[in-house]
Amino acid sequence: MIRFGFYKGGKRKCLTFSYDDNRKEERELIRIFNEYGMKGTFHINSSTLDKNSEFITSAELPELYKGHEVAVHGLTHPWLDRLPPEEMVYEVLEDRKRLETLCGYPVKGMSFPFGSYNEDVIKALPALGIKYARTIINTNKFELPESFLRWHPTCHHNNDIINKADLFKKARAMSLFYVWGHSFEFGVRDNWDIIKAFCEKMADDPDVWYATNVEIYDYMTALRSLEFTVDKSLVYNPTALDVWIEKDEEPIEIPAGKTVKL
C-alpha cells in the first residue's frame, strides 16, 4: 500500500510552535528554542515594533528570528471579522509588507488576532498571499489541518503539554504536535519551567521533524502534488522539495523534479 505517511527525512512526527504579539519575552523563548533545537513561528503586529520596551524592536528582528519564521498577526492586532473589507485587507497586506522589508523573505502565514475570523476573511486570504492561518481552537490531537486557512493547533502551552508529549512519543502514524501561546504569559505566570521542561523532553528525537509552520505547509503542499501512474508503479515529483511517501510501511524518498519507480 502507498500512502502519505512520512515528513521530511522519512520521519513520522513533526513538532512546531506558534507565538503571537512580538513581546520582549520572545528573546528568552527563542533562546530556549535555539538551545534545544526547536523551530517556531512568530506572528507579529508590525505597528508595535519599537513602540516601547515591552516589544521587540525592528532593528533586532532579522537576527532574533533567524532560523525561525516571521508571520502576520495584523498590523494593529484588530478583530478582522469586524472590519470593513478594505480595512481588513490593509491590516493583513500592510503587516505583511512591513515584515517582508525587515526579514527579507516572502511572508506567507498568519494567525488570527483574538482568534477572530469569518468566511469573508478566509476567502480573501489567498489573494493577499496568505497560505495558512492559525486559529486558537485547540484540538488536543496530533493531526494535520483539514484546511491550512483554518489551522487549529493541538493546544496552548498551559494545556498539559508534558503529558501530551508522552502520548505524542507513542504515536505510530504521521503525527503533528502544534503548540501555541504568547511569550509574555511565561512572565505573567512565572512558569518558564514548563516550556524548558517540554523542550528538553522533546529534543533530539530521531523520529521528529522540528519545523516552522510554513515549512510544514510547503512540505505537505509538495507531498500532495505528487503525480502517480494509474497502476502506482511510477511517481513524479513536480515540485522543488524532496518528499517521502510510505510503501508497505517503509519510507521512500521522491526527490524534487524526479520520477521514481515504486
Side-chain angles (χ1 to χ4, degrees):
M1 177 181 290
I2 296 171
R3 62 179 179 176
F4 299 152
F6 292 98
Y7 291 108
K8 184 177 180 180
K11 299 176 184 293
R12 287 280 194 191
K13 303 168 190 174
C14 180
L15 173 63
T16 194
F17 296 86
S18 178
Y19 280 83
D20 298 345
D21 294 353
N22 50 283
R23 297 287 286 271
K24 64 182 182 181
E25 289 83 1
E26 291 191 357
R27 298 170 184 139
E28 174 63 11
L29 181 59
I30 290 173
R31 186 196 67 77
I32 293 169
F33 283 175
N34 291 342
E35 178 181 354
Y36 291 103
M38 303 293 119
K39 289 289 193 75
T41 293
F42 294 87
H43 305 277
I44 294 174
N45 312 115
S46 55
S47 70
T48 62
L49 293 169
D50 307 311
K51 182 178 180 180
N52 56 49
S53 61
E54 292 298 311
F55 294 90
I56 298 300
T57 68
S58 55
E60 71 182 306
L61 184 146
E63 187 61 29
L64 178 65
Y65 296 106
K66 187 176 182 179
H68 302 278
E69 178 195 1
V70 167
V72 167
H73 196 42
L75 180 66
T76 63
H77 202 287
W79 297 81
L80 293 176
D81 57 348
R82 302 180 186 180
L83 298 179
E86 298 85 353
E87 190 65 22
M88 182 274 291
V89 167
Y90 177 76
E91 283 284 339
V92 174
L93 272 186
E94 184 63 20
D95 197 31
R96 185 178 169 221
K97 183 174 73 172
R98 294 187 190 186
L99 294 176
E100 289 176 339
T101 299
L102 292 170
C103 67
Y105 54 77
V107 171
K108 301 192 292 184
M110 70 176 289
S111 64
F112 297 110
F114 303 110
S116 69
Y117 64 93
N118 57 23
E119 287 304 311
D120 290 337
V121 173
I122 295 294
K123 290 176 181 178
L125 294 183
L128 305 180
I130 298 298
K131 306 298 185 182
Y132 75 83
R134 195 212 79 222
T135 74
I136 58 173
I137 300 172
N138 298 325
T139 67
N140 292 304
K141 298 178 181 179
F142 307 122
E143 298 177 349
L144 284 156
E146 293 183 7
S147 167
F148 276 102
L149 291 177
R150 296 179 184 81
W151 194 346
H152 306 317
T154 302
C155 65
H156 186 278
H157 65 244
N158 286 328
N159 189 204
D160 198 22
I161 56 174
I162 300 299
N163 285 332
K164 283 184 173 61
D166 291 328
L167 295 174
F168 181 64
K169 285 178 173 290
K170 295 176 183 177
R172 295 179 58 84
M174 191 178 188
S175 305
L176 171 64
F177 197 158
Y178 189 139
V179 179
W180 76 281
H182 305 84
S183 59
F184 68 81
E185 294 173 291
F186 294 115
V188 171
R189 295 198 177 198
D190 191 23
N191 63 352
W192 285 102
D193 57 307
I194 289 177
I195 197 67
K196 291 177 183 176
F198 180 75
C199 290
E200 183 177 13
K201 188 179 188 70
M202 296 302 302
D204 301 317
D205 189 323
D207 199 30
V208 174
W209 176 34
Y210 305 96
T212 63
N213 290 188
V214 76
E215 286 175 327
I216 297 167
Y217 168 82
D218 286 342
Y219 181 83
M220 293 307 302
T221 300
L223 186 64
R224 292 166 179 169
S225 297
L226 292 176
E227 300 172 3
F228 293 85
T229 56
V230 174
D231 65 1
K232 304 298 187 296
S233 63
L234 297 172
V235 58
Y236 170 58
N237 181 356
T239 77
L241 292 179
D242 299 339
V243 298
W244 281 256
I245 63 172
E246 179 179 347
K247 182 181 180 182
D248 300 328
E249 300 186 0
E250 293 296 325
I252 297 178
E253 181 180 2
I254 315 297
K258 300 294 184 180
T259 298
V260 174
K261 185 175 181 179
L262 300 174

